Amino acid sequence: MRILLSNDDGIHAPGIRALYDAVKDLGDVFVVAPSVEQSAVGHAITVFDPIKCKRITKDGAFEGYAVGGTPADCIKLAVTEILDGPPDLVLSGINLGPNTGISVIYSGTVSAATEGTVLGIPSIAFSLDTFSEPRWDTAAAIARKIVIGSRENGIPDETLLNVNIPNLPLDEIKGCAVTLMGRSRWIEKFHKRNDPRGNHYFWLDGEMEQLDNSEGTDIRAVADGFVSITPIGLDLTRYEAVEELQKWEL
Ligand code: MN
């Protein structure tokens, strides 16, 4: 099995190292990841600038390509130029921080897996539900288990798996739950400051508000100690709205 790894925290982040160590004996593993952090860039791609690409060795742990672009750039570039043909599996992560609810839209981690899916390659995004004291050992063990499960069962066509892992000791994880994307949104807050020349600048901050964390959602599953596995599709059509719009007399 040929496995492509990427992420949005950058090739030097501990999460991709944990993911590499978790799957390195499951096949030929290739790492193509952003050279610097690209969190929250969503599915951005680079079209007006050249994309730099440098082969690096990461602390003797793995060799990979550091790409001066976005997570989606990394997957496109790896599949079409760097690798000798498409991989069998794309893995993204392990992200520091959850990607549940609306974060799926903003996430570069999820977008790397989305790009893999667009290219017809089974893809999985992994995120760890914490921003401090990450339990990479737990996340790596869970990621390995899910990769093996996906190899045995296959991932449905045009579907990526968005996996969120509670930041708990492995023996406190209650199991895996197949979930639906919950509803959440950012309560926006900009810090307004002045630069040395007296011009304003803004720095985005904010807080996540959960709008639907009911039973069966990704948000709830992770909060309850379950690994959340959400199947995500590429079709963003709101089917319930089609009939209503067809009534417009245009
Ligand atoms: Mn990130």
Side-chain angles (χ1 to χ4, degrees), residues 4-23 30-34 39 62 71 75 90-97 99 107-113 123-128 136 139-140 143 161-163 165:
L4 170 61
L5 301 194
S6 196
N7 72 349
D8 76 358
D9 292 340
I11 198 164
H12 299 292
I16 197 165
R17 168 76 192 271
L19 186 55
Y20 178 88
D21 289 340
V23 301
F30 305 89
V31 179
V32 181
S39 289
F62 61 78
I75 304 303
V90 169
L91 304 178
S92 180
I94 302 166
N95 189 61
L96 183 65
N99 279 308
S107 168
T109 305
V110 175
S111 287
S123 301
I124 311 174
F126 294 101
S127 303
L128 183 57
W136 295 121
L161 303 185
N162 182 35
V163 177
I165 302 162

Coordinates of all heavy atoms in Angstrom, one line a residue, residues 4-23 30-34 39 62 71 75 90-97 99 107-113 123-128 136 139-140 143 161-163 165:
L4 N 0.1 8.5 1.2 CA 0.6 9.9 1.1 C 0.1 10.6 2.4 O -1.1 10.5 2.7 CB 0.0 10.6 -0.1 CG 0.2 12.1 -0.2 CD1 1.7 12.5 -0.2 CD2 -0.5 12.6 -1.4
L5 N 1.1 11.2 3.1 CA 0.7 12.0 4.3 C 0.9 13.4 4.0 O 1.9 13.9 3.4 CB 1.7 11.6 5.5 CG 1.8 10.2 6.0 CD1 2.5 10.3 7.3 CD2 0.5 9.6 6.2
S6 N -0.1 14.2 4.6 CA 0.1 15.7 4.6 C -0.6 16.2 5.8 O -1.1 15.4 6.7 CB -0.5 16.3 3.3 OG -0.1 17.6 3.1
N7 N -0.7 17.5 5.9 CA -1.3 18.1 7.1 C -1.5 19.6 6.8 O -1.2 20.1 5.7 CB -0.5 17.9 8.4 CG 0.8 18.7 8.4 OD1 1.2 19.3 7.5 ND2 1.4 18.7 9.6
D8 N -2.0 20.3 7.9 CA -2.0 21.8 7.7 C -1.1 22.5 8.8 O -1.0 23.7 8.7 CB -3.4 22.4 7.6 CG -4.1 22.5 9.0 OD1 -3.6 22.0 10.0 OD2 -5.3 23.0 9.0
D9 N -0.6 21.7 9.7 CA 0.2 22.3 10.8 C 1.7 22.4 10.3 O 2.5 23.0 11.1 CB 0.1 21.4 12.1 CG -1.2 21.5 12.7 OD1 -2.0 22.4 12.4 OD2 -1.6 20.6 13.5
G10 N 2.0 21.9 9.2 CA 3.3 22.0 8.6 C 4.1 20.7 8.8 O 3.9 19.9 9.7
I11 N 5.1 20.5 8.0 CA 5.9 19.3 8.0 C 6.7 19.1 9.2 O 7.0 18.0 9.6 CB 6.8 19.2 6.7 CG1 7.2 17.8 6.4 CG2 7.9 20.2 6.8 CD1 7.8 17.6 5.0
H12 N 6.9 20.2 10.0 CA 7.7 20.1 11.2 C 6.8 19.9 12.5 O 7.4 19.8 13.6 CB 8.6 21.3 11.4 CG 9.6 21.5 10.3 ND1 10.6 20.7 10.1 CD2 9.6 22.4 9.3 CE1 11.3 21.0 9.0 NE2 10.7 22.1 8.5
A13 N 5.5 19.8 12.3 CA 4.6 19.7 13.4 C 4.7 18.2 14.0 O 4.9 17.3 13.3 CB 3.2 20.0 13.0
P14 N 4.5 18.1 15.3 CA 4.6 16.8 15.9 C 3.5 15.8 15.4 O 3.7 14.6 15.4 CB 4.5 17.0 17.4 CG 4.0 18.4 17.5 CD 4.4 19.2 16.3
G15 N 2.4 16.3 15.0 CA 1.2 15.5 14.7 C 1.5 14.6 13.4 O 1.1 13.5 13.3
I16 N 2.2 15.2 12.5 CA 2.5 14.4 11.2 C 3.6 13.4 11.5 O 3.6 12.3 10.9 CB 2.9 15.3 10.0 CG1 2.7 14.6 8.7 CG2 4.3 16.0 10.2 CD1 2.7 15.4 7.5
R17 N 4.5 13.7 12.4 CA 5.5 12.7 12.9 C 4.8 11.5 13.6 O 5.1 10.3 13.3 CB 6.5 13.4 13.8 CG 7.4 12.4 14.6 CD 8.5 11.9 13.7 NE 9.2 10.8 14.3 CZ 10.2 10.9 15.1 NH1 10.7 12.1 15.3 NH2 10.8 9.9 15.6
A18 N 3.8 11.8 14.4 CA 3.0 10.8 15.1 C 2.3 9.9 14.1 O 2.2 8.7 14.2 CB 2.0 11.4 16.1
L19 N 1.7 10.6 13.1 CA 1.0 9.8 12.0 C 1.9 8.9 11.2 O 1.6 7.8 10.9 CB 0.2 10.8 11.1 CG -0.7 10.2 10.1 CD1 -1.8 9.3 10.7 CD2 -1.5 11.3 9.3
Y20 N 3.1 9.5 10.9 CA 4.1 8.7 10.2 C 4.5 7.5 10.9 O 4.5 6.4 10.4 CB 5.3 9.6 9.9 CG 6.4 8.8 9.1 CD1 6.4 8.8 7.8 CD2 7.4 8.2 9.8 CE1 7.4 8.1 7.1 CE2 8.4 7.4 9.2 CZ 8.3 7.4 7.8 OH 9.3 6.7 7.1
D21 N 4.8 7.7 12.2 CA 5.2 6.5 13.0 C 4.1 5.5 13.2 O 4.4 4.3 13.3 CB 5.6 7.0 14.4 CG 7.0 7.7 14.4 OD1 7.7 7.6 13.4 OD2 7.3 8.5 15.3
A22 N 2.8 6.0 13.1 CA 1.7 5.1 13.3 C 1.5 4.1 12.1 O 1.0 3.0 12.2 CB 0.4 5.9 13.6
V23 N 1.8 4.6 10.9 CA 1.5 3.8 9.7 C 2.7 3.4 8.9 O 2.5 2.8 7.8 CB 0.5 4.7 8.8 CG1 -0.7 5.0 9.5 CG2 1.2 5.9 8.2
F30 N 4.8 8.3 2.0 CA 5.4 9.5 1.4 C 4.9 10.7 2.1 O 3.6 10.8 2.4 CB 5.1 9.6 -0.1 CG 5.5 8.4 -0.9 CD1 4.6 7.3 -1.0 CD2 6.8 8.3 -1.4 CE1 5.0 6.2 -1.7 CE2 7.1 7.1 -2.1 CZ 6.2 6.1 -2.3
V31 N 5.7 11.6 2.5 CA 5.3 12.8 3.2 C 5.4 14.0 2.3 O 6.6 14.3 1.8 CB 6.1 13.1 4.5 CG1 5.6 14.3 5.2 CG2 6.0 11.8 5.4
V32 N 4.4 14.7 2.0 CA 4.4 16.0 1.3 C 3.5 16.9 2.0 O 2.3 16.8 2.0 CB 3.9 15.8 -0.2 CG1 4.0 17.1 -1.0 CG2 4.7 14.7 -0.9
A33 N 4.1 17.9 2.7 CA 3.3 18.7 3.6 C 3.8 20.2 3.5 O 4.9 20.5 3.1 CB 3.5 18.2 5.0
P34 N 3.0 21.1 3.9 CA 3.4 22.5 3.9 C 4.6 22.8 4.7 O 4.8 22.2 5.8 CB 2.2 23.3 4.5 CG 1.0 22.3 4.3 CD 1.6 21.0 4.4
S39 N -2.9 26.3 8.9 CA -4.2 26.0 9.6 C -5.2 27.0 9.1 O -4.9 28.2 8.9 CB -4.0 26.0 11.1 OG -3.3 24.9 11.5
F62 N 11.9 10.8 9.0 CA 11.4 10.5 7.7 C 11.9 11.6 6.7 O 12.3 12.7 7.1 CB 9.8 10.5 7.7 CG 9.2 11.8 8.1 CD1 9.1 12.9 7.2 CD2 8.6 12.0 9.3 CE1 8.5 14.1 7.6 CE2 8.0 13.2 9.7 CZ 7.9 14.2 8.8
P71 N -2.4 22.9 2.0 CA -2.6 21.5 2.0 C -3.1 20.9 0.7 O -2.6 19.9 0.2 CB -3.6 21.3 3.2 CG -3.3 22.5 4.1 CD -3.0 23.6 3.2
I75 N -1.4 18.0 -2.0 CA -1.9 16.7 -2.5 C -1.9 16.7 -4.0 O -1.5 15.8 -4.7 CB -3.4 16.6 -2.0 CG1 -3.4 16.6 -0.5 CG2 -4.0 15.3 -2.6 CD1 -2.6 15.6 0.2
V90 N -4.7 8.6 1.1 CA -4.2 9.9 1.5 C -4.6 10.1 3.0 O -5.8 9.9 3.3 CB -4.8 11.1 0.7 CG1 -4.5 12.5 1.3 CG2 -4.3 11.1 -0.7
L91 N -3.6 10.4 3.8 CA -3.9 10.7 5.2 C -3.5 12.1 5.6 O -2.4 12.6 5.1 CB -3.2 9.7 6.1 CG -3.4 8.2 5.9 CD1 -2.5 7.4 6.9 CD2 -4.8 7.9 6.1
S92 N -4.3 12.8 6.3 CA -4.0 14.2 6.7 C -4.0 14.4 8.2 O -4.9 13.9 8.9 CB -5.0 15.2 6.0 OG -4.7 16.5 6.4
G93 N -3.0 15.0 8.8 CA -3.0 15.2 10.2 C -1.7 14.7 10.8 O -0.7 14.6 10.1
I94 N -1.7 14.4 12.1 CA -2.8 14.5 13.0 C -2.9 16.0 13.4 O -1.9 16.5 13.9 CB -2.7 13.6 14.2 CG1 -2.5 12.1 13.7 CG2 -3.8 13.8 15.1 CD1 -2.0 11.2 14.8
N95 N -4.0 16.6 13.2 CA -4.1 18.1 13.5 C -4.1 18.3 15.0 O -4.8 17.6 15.8 CB -5.4 18.6 12.9 CG -5.4 20.2 13.0 OD1 -4.5 20.8 12.5 ND2 -6.4 20.7 13.7
L96 N -3.5 19.4 15.4 CA -3.6 19.9 16.8 C -4.8 20.7 16.9 O -4.9 21.9 16.4 CB -2.3 20.7 17.2 CG -2.3 21.2 18.6 CD1 -2.2 20.0 19.6 CD2 -1.1 22.1 18.8
G97 N -5.9 20.2 17.5 CA -7.2 20.9 17.6 C -8.2 20.1 16.8 O -7.9 19.5 15.8
N99 N -11.5 19.3 14.5 CA -12.2 19.8 13.2 C -13.6 19.2 13.2 O -13.9 18.3 12.3 CB -11.4 19.4 12.0 CG -10.2 20.4 11.8 OD1 -10.4 21.6 11.8 ND2 -9.0 19.9 11.7
S107 N -11.1 24.1 7.7 CA -9.9 23.3 8.0 C -9.0 23.0 6.8 O -9.5 22.4 5.8 CB -10.3 22.0 8.6 OG -9.3 21.1 8.7
G108 N -7.7 23.2 6.9 CA -6.8 22.8 5.9 C -6.5 21.3 6.0 O -6.3 20.6 5.0
T109 N -6.6 20.8 7.2 CA -6.4 19.3 7.5 C -7.5 18.5 6.7 O -7.2 17.6 6.0 CB -6.6 19.0 9.0 OG1 -5.7 19.8 9.7 CG2 -6.4 17.5 9.3
V110 N -8.7 19.0 6.8 CA -9.8 18.3 6.1 C -9.7 18.5 4.6 O -9.9 17.6 3.8 CB -11.2 18.7 6.6 CG1 -12.3 18.1 5.8 CG2 -11.4 18.4 8.1
S111 N -9.2 19.7 4.2 CA -9.1 20.0 2.8 C -8.1 19.1 2.1 O -8.2 18.8 0.9 CB -8.8 21.4 2.6 OG -10.0 22.2 2.9
A112 N -7.0 18.7 2.8 CA -6.1 17.8 2.2 C -6.7 16.5 1.8 O -6.5 15.9 0.7 CB -4.9 17.6 3.1
A113 N -7.6 16.0 2.7 CA -8.3 14.8 2.5 C -9.4 15.0 1.4 O -9.7 14.1 0.6 CB -8.9 14.3 3.8
S123 N -9.4 8.8 1.3 CA -8.7 9.8 2.1 C -9.3 9.9 3.5 O -10.5 9.8 3.6 CB -8.8 11.2 1.4 OG -8.2 11.1 0.1
I124 N -8.4 10.2 4.4 CA -8.9 10.3 5.8 C -8.2 11.5 6.5 O -7.0 11.7 6.3 CB -8.5 9.1 6.7 CG1 -9.0 7.8 6.0 CG2 -9.2 9.1 8.1 CD1 -8.6 6.5 6.7
A125 N -8.9 12.3 7.2 CA -8.4 13.4 8.0 C -8.4 13.1 9.5 O -9.5 12.6 9.9 CB -9.1 14.7 7.7
F126 N -7.4 13.3 10.2 CA -7.3 13.0 11.6 C -7.1 14.3 12.4 O -6.1 15.1 12.1 CB -6.2 12.1 12.0 CG -6.4 10.7 11.4 CD1 -5.7 10.3 10.2 CD2 -7.2 9.8 12.0 CE1 -5.8 9.0 9.7 CE2 -7.4 8.5 11.4 CZ -6.7 8.1 10.3
S127 N -7.8 14.5 13.5 CA -7.6 15.7 14.3 C -7.8 15.3 15.8 O -8.6 14.4 16.1 CB -8.7 16.8 14.0 OG -8.6 17.2 12.7
L128 N -7.0 15.9 16.6 CA -7.0 15.6 18.1 C -7.6 16.8 18.8 O -7.3 17.9 18.6 CB -5.5 15.4 18.5 CG -5.3 15.0 20.0 CD1 -6.0 13.7 20.4 CD2 -3.8 14.8 20.2
W136 N -0.4 12.4 21.7 CA -0.1 11.9 20.4 C -0.1 10.4 20.3 O -0.5 9.8 19.3 CB 1.2 12.4 19.8 CG 1.2 13.9 19.6 CD1 2.1 14.8 20.2 CD2 0.4 14.7 18.8 NE1 1.8 16.1 19.8 CE2 0.8 16.0 18.9 CE3 -0.7 14.4 17.9 CZ2 0.2 17.1 18.2 CZ3 -1.3 15.4 17.2 CH2 -0.9 16.7 17.4
A139 N -3.7 9.3 19.8 CA -4.1 9.7 18.4 C -3.5 8.8 17.4 O -4.2 8.3 16.5 CB -3.8 11.1 18.2
A140 N -2.2 8.4 17.6 CA -1.5 7.6 16.7 C -2.1 6.2 16.7 O -2.3 5.5 15.6 CB 0.0 7.5 17.0
A143 N -5.4 6.3 14.9 CA -5.3 6.5 13.5 C -4.8 5.2 12.8 O -5.4 4.8 11.7 CB -4.2 7.6 13.2
L161 N -13.2 10.5 5.2 CA -13.5 10.2 6.6 C -12.9 11.4 7.4 O -11.7 11.6 7.3 CB -13.0 8.9 7.0 CG -13.5 7.7 6.3 CD1 -12.9 6.4 6.9 CD2 -15.0 7.6 6.1
N162 N -13.7 12.1 8.2 CA -13.2 13.1 9.0 C -13.2 12.5 10.5 O -14.3 12.3 11.1 CB -14.1 14.3 9.0 CG -13.6 15.5 9.8 OD1 -12.3 15.6 10.0 ND2 -14.4 16.2 10.4
V163 N -12.0 12.3 11.0 CA -11.9 11.6 12.3 C -11.4 12.6 13.3 O -10.4 13.3 13.1 CB -10.8 10.4 12.1 CG1 -10.6 9.8 13.5 CG2 -11.3 9.4 11.1
I165 N -10.5 12.8 17.4 CA -10.0 11.9 18.5 C -10.0 12.7 19.8 O -9.4 13.7 19.9 CB -8.6 11.3 18.2 CG1 -8.7 10.6 16.8 CG2 -8.1 10.4 19.3 CD1 -7.3 10.4 16.2

